[in-house]
Amino acid sequence: MRESEHSPCILGIESSCDETSAAILQGFDVHSHIVYSQMIHKKYGGVVPELASRAHEHAISQVVDAAFEASGKKPEDIDAVAATYGPGLMGALLVGLNFAKGFALAADIPLIGVNHLEAHLYASMLEFPELKTPYLCLLVSGGHSMLVDVSGIRDFTILGNTRDDAAGESFDKVARLLDIGYPGGPQIDALSDSGDPRAIAFPRSLLEPDSLDFSFSGMKTAVLNHVRKQAQLSEQDKADIAAAFQEAVVDVLKEKLRRAVKRSGHKRIVLAGGVAANRRLRAELKKMAEKMDLQLFYPPLEYCTDNAAMIAATAVLYHREGLFSDMNIVAIPNLKLA
Ligand code: KG4
Ligand code: ZN
């Protein structure tokens, strides 16, 4: 059943990296969702912090206005305003958080500061509002690779964490080596269709036998060494490298998730973060879930990568518990999940 009119109406804002996004939700019903992806970083092959904050400043009012227009809601319909306060780029976070503070003051409504990582954990609730905790979440994004035991709101245990390059970061770096564009994950995902995943045997870094941590920097270096040995890369070589690297990352994620399921005993598995958009990962985990008799949830593609709908959804949960933020809340670039 969908949320009723009595559920809080939330304006959510996300500006932690290179997406300026606003969404208006009534409960978990998304009335509007606008994402402005900053294209300026493409030519640098990565996000340039100073350019990101400037672009957020430029876009924020228009993005929020567009969210209101698309939703049919008015500012006076909003019960609370939520914004990411970390982790992320300081200047970028400040734009969204300060905008939300201004809105909360002007409309005289509560402010809810949201941890961006926590929002990724709940993004599947936008598609499955009935999804209940506890569950095991594999959170794989540009900045993090984590396995999290989610018991409830603000109640998590981190089972495995990022040791060096995050999963998405390794996709981005390999894509840069292949000169196929930024962000790398979607490019490698697409290019892999025409490559052979068995063409090159890249290593699978699994760390210690009992470890649920992730390490992708060695795998990225293996690609670098392979590329350096080639005089020239044909389009087919690039596709084979992309497919073989993607396969190696997916194998590692699958094995770590399998270990975490065995250890935690969870039957509900939730995928989250930008890398959760990867088609090969989704297909392989679906097979694994069937084999191990697990329920697998993943958000629609638009809610895997950074978006304000997941920020507003987290605020819906906080609003229910009366968890509001002080106006003095500050942006915390290295904010942790737990
Ligand atoms: O969650 P997200 O939007 O931002 C962070 O919080 O970091 O994740 C962005 C990351 C990027 O590294 C991007 O390359 C990766 O997610 N990504 C993918 C795919 N789509 C986005 N990686 C693999 N396959 C994809 N289809
Ligand atoms: Zn993110």
Side-chain angles (χ1 to χ4, degrees):
M1 203 183 74
R2 278 301 192 181
E3 296 285 325
S4 74
E5 286 292 298
H6 305 296
S7 302
C9 189
I10 309 277
L11 165 64
I13 294 171
E14 156 63 32
S15 71
S16 64
C17 192
D18 57 345
E19 259 88 33
T20 319
S21 178
I24 295 176
L25 269 64
Q26 181 114 44
F28 293 115
D29 275 344
V30 180
H31 284 248
S32 66
H33 175 221
I34 308 291
V35 182
Y36 166 69
S37 293
Q38 302 174 0
M39 292 301 158
I40 185 143
H41 310 288
K42 273 192 191 290
K43 66 176 168 191
Y44 301 98
V47 180
V48 183
E50 182 57 33
L51 296 179
S53 29
R54 226 181 292 160
H56 282 303
E57 262 170 27
H58 200 73
I60 187 92
S61 297
Q62 292 171 61
V63 167
V64 172
D65 285 350
F68 273 106
E69 199 162 314
S71 70
K73 299 275 184 192
K74 296 184 210 65
E76 51 272 30
D77 299 324
I78 303 296
D79 295 308
V81 54
T84 307
Y85 73 103
L89 303 167
M90 180 53 116
L93 288 166
L94 281 174
V95 176
L97 186 60
N98 285 341
F99 188 97
K101 284 183 181 180
F103 192 99
L105 279 172
D108 195 21
I109 55 173
L111 171 72
I112 301 177
V114 172
N115 182 322
H116 179 90
L117 297 174
E118 187 177 4
H120 273 303
L121 298 185
Y122 302 139
S124 279
M125 296 188 76
L126 292 160
E127 177 81 355
F128 308 100
E130 72 290 353
L131 173 63
K132 294 269 182 297
T133 53
Y135 54 74
L136 178 66
C137 183
L138 173 67
L139 166 56
V140 270
S141 68
H144 297 83
S145 320
M146 302 175 104
L147 276 159
V148 187
D149 195 325
V150 184
S151 303
I153 304 167
R154 283 189 180 170
D155 190 2
F156 326 109
T157 310
I158 296 173
L159 305 178
N161 214 333
T162 328
R163 287 254 182 111
D164 39 55
D165 291 353
E169 188 180 0
S170 73
F171 274 109
D172 296 336
K173 287 181 174 170
V174 167
R176 213 176 303 158
L177 281 174
L178 299 178
D179 198 20
I180 54 172
Y182 179 87
Q187 310 288 347
I188 289 184
D189 191 337
L191 189 57
S192 295
D193 285 347
S194 46
D196 175 3
R198 285 153 307 172
I200 311 132
F202 288 126
R204 275 73 172 149
S205 307
L206 291 169
L207 303 170
E208 307 79 30
D210 61 341
S211 174
L212 296 177
D213 285 348
F214 298 92
S215 167
F216 292 108
S217 105
M219 291 163 62
K220 167 210 67 194
T221 307
V223 178
L224 174 67
N225 292 337
H226 176 83
V227 168
R228 277 194 180 144
K229 279 191 218 136
Q230 318 294 315
Q232 224 181 351
L233 290 179
S234 67
E235 288 311 304
Q236 189 58 49
D237 291 335
K238 287 188 180 184
D240 287 344
I241 294 170
F245 178 71
Q246 174 176 273
E247 198 68 4
V249 173
V250 169
D251 276 354
V252 170
L253 296 176
K254 219 166 58 177
E255 174 57 19
K256 293 284 172 170
L257 184 59
R258 196 190 59 76
R259 289 181 188 179
V261 167
K262 290 269 179 227
R263 190 177 306 175
S264 66
H266 277 296
K267 285 284 175 194
R268 268 194 299 270
I269 309 298
V270 173
L271 257 182
V275 182
N278 186 269
R279 290 169 304 150
R280 182 76 182 157
L281 179 66
R282 287 178 178 236
E284 284 298 301
L285 292 187
K286 223 169 155 182
K287 275 194 245 164
M288 183 178 121
E290 275 161 23
K291 239 192 248 167
M292 294 178 75
D293 196 24
L294 307 168
Q295 267 185 297
L296 177 69
F297 299 88
Y298 39 76
L301 292 182
E302 59 183 323
Y303 303 140
C304 286
T305 45
D306 289 348
N307 69 87
M310 69 180 189
I311 304 301
T314 306
V316 170
L317 297 171
Y318 273 49
H319 193 278
R320 280 184 190 161
E321 306 288 322
L323 294 168
F324 301 117
S325 301
D326 196 274
M327 273 300 164
N328 295 327
I329 186 173
V330 293
I332 305 179
N334 61 352
L335 184 67
K336 301 280 180 278
L337 184 59

